[in-house]
Amino acid sequence: MSSLPLTTAAAQPVAAQPAAAGARRPLSAVLPALGLGVLLVLPLLAGGYWTFTLGLCFANAIAILSVSFLVRYGGEVSIGHGVFVAAGAYTVALMEKYLGLSVLAALPLAAVAGALLGAAFAFPSRHLSGIYLAVATMALALSLPEVLLHFSTLSGGYEGLYVKLDAVPGAAKSLQRYYLPLLGLAAVVLLLKNFRRSRQAMALLLIRTSAHAAESFGIRRSWARLWCMALSGAIAAIAGALLSFSSSTVSPNSFTLWTSIFLLVGSVVSLYSLSLVGSLVGGLFLTLMPLLLAGAGNWVPILYGAALLAVVLGVNALPPHVRARLEGGRT
């Protein structure tokens, strides 16, 4: 008789755990949808300046996702992803200039261009890793502006190229520059979420965790690296295409070594997250921080570094469950 209450009391925490987990699951599903809903109606409340700035923020968030994807699934750091972003941006600008195609028609071509460029870089460097691969990607970023200037008849030289065509004829330009990058960001996050459950994602994670174990299952590390870089390059090129549409112009000055370094900084700020919230945090930092520090003169590097430290150290000080939610899961 006396054991019955003890058994019931011991069972309560066990029974409460699934209930609590069940309560958290709907909340975790509702919050991103609620945030996306707020972003959809924001242009009705915000002015033109913020609509333009947030459009750039969404495109930068996609570029940050491409860097985070390489870190998560490839286990490598890139200091040259500005090259793949530039590939997408110039593809859109060139398609408009020579073929009269709008950004919507050129967007798939930009993704293909980024994927091919990523694969072309990954094949000769497939045996590199760590600091060697980082330096190789840095060499890409250093050479890009000079290459664009060398082919100035095609790239427009210092002046660059303009992206003027509407994505949706008849709609307000400012709204197109806001909603198209936002929808692109939501689509990329959704695709990465589904990719996370695929066999290809498991193969990449197995390669990253233990190359010898993966090769014993018939998964070749070199080809996995090639596919990872190609997918990352495609995502970066999509970001570049949307960035060129939102800013209306592309030029060599937009894709220097510092562009690639800032993308890596944004990825660190987002905790290499592949979620909507994490990528937005990185995109906001990357886009807004230079604007906020524009009038600081010689204090800009110091204040930028302090802001970066404050964000990174502040996130590390958060409780583990809050940090895990911001990271959007490790795989």
Side-chain angles (χ1 to χ4, degrees):
M1 292 294 291
S2 61
S3 63
L4 183 59
L6 293 176
T7 303
T8 304
Q12 283 177 353
V14 177
Q17 289 177 2
R24 284 197 297 267
R25 276 195 293 270
L27 186 63
S28 62
V30 166
L31 285 179
L34 186 62
L36 190 59
V38 171
L39 292 176
L40 285 172
V41 300
L42 198 58
L44 303 176
L45 307 174
Y49 173 78
W50 283 108
T51 303
F52 171 77
T53 303
L54 287 175
L56 297 178
C57 166
F58 300 145
N60 281 328
I62 299 174
I64 288 170
L65 281 175
S66 70
V67 180
S68 299
F69 177 85
L70 184 65
V71 175
R72 285 289 187 96
Y73 288 98
E76 301 293 350
V77 172
S78 170
I79 317 178
H81 256 53
V83 175
F84 306 115
V85 177
Y90 272 91
T91 298
V92 168
L94 291 172
M95 289 298 106
E96 177 177 322
K97 180 179 179 181
Y98 293 105
L99 300 179
L101 297 178
S102 70
V103 62
L104 286 181
L107 195 57
L109 298 175
V112 172
L116 291 177
L117 188 60
F121 171 76
F123 186 74
S125 62
R126 62 191 182 280
H127 298 303
L128 298 180
S129 61
I131 190 65
Y132 299 100
L133 183 66
V135 171
T137 56
M138 185 179 71
L140 273 183
L142 281 172
S143 62
L144 177 66
E146 298 303 324
V147 172
L148 291 173
L149 292 174
H150 181 75
F151 296 100
S152 58
T153 54
L154 188 68
S155 66
Y158 287 105
E159 185 181 354
L161 300 171
Y162 295 95
V163 179
K164 301 175 183 176
L165 290 180
D166 290 339
V168 181
K173 195 79 170 184
S174 59
L175 296 181
Q176 294 183 45
R177 288 173 177 164
Y178 177 89
Y179 283 115
L180 191 60
L182 175 59
L183 294 178
L185 174 60
V188 170
V189 169
L190 187 60
L191 287 174
L192 289 178
K193 186 177 181 180
N194 290 326
F195 177 79
R196 203 174 301 165
R197 307 189 186 103
S198 67
R199 295 182 62 182
Q200 290 77 11
M202 297 302 295
L204 291 176
L205 291 173
L206 183 58
I207 283 284
R208 188 195 68 178
T209 305
S210 175
H212 295 296
E215 288 177 355
S216 68
F217 284 100
I219 304 171
R220 294 180 60 183
R221 180 182 181 183
S222 57
W223 286 104
R225 174 71 59 77
L226 190 149
W227 280 108
C228 192
M229 185 64 82
L231 288 173
S232 180
I235 297 171
I238 291 172
L242 297 174
L243 198 60
S244 67
F245 177 71
S246 293
S247 61
S248 301
T249 183
V250 292
S251 69
N253 291 332
S254 304
F255 306 106
T256 63
L257 174 62
W258 284 108
T259 304
S260 299
I261 292 176
F262 285 138
L263 288 179
L264 184 59
V265 168
S267 180
V268 172
V269 170
S270 72
L271 302 176
Y272 308 115
S273 172
L274 300 180
S275 68
L276 180 65
V277 175
S279 60
L280 275 176
V281 170
L284 285 169
F285 185 89
L286 188 65
T287 308
L288 296 183
M289 195 53 63
L291 298 177
L292 294 175
L293 299 179
N298 294 332
W299 286 86
V300 169
I302 298 173
L303 294 176
Y304 194 91
L308 179 60
L309 282 175
V311 172
V312 173
L313 297 179
V315 170
N316 281 331
L318 291 174
H321 68 282
V322 176
R323 180 186 164 94
R325 179 165 295 181
L326 287 175
E327 291 175 344
R330 275 295 178 192
T331 59

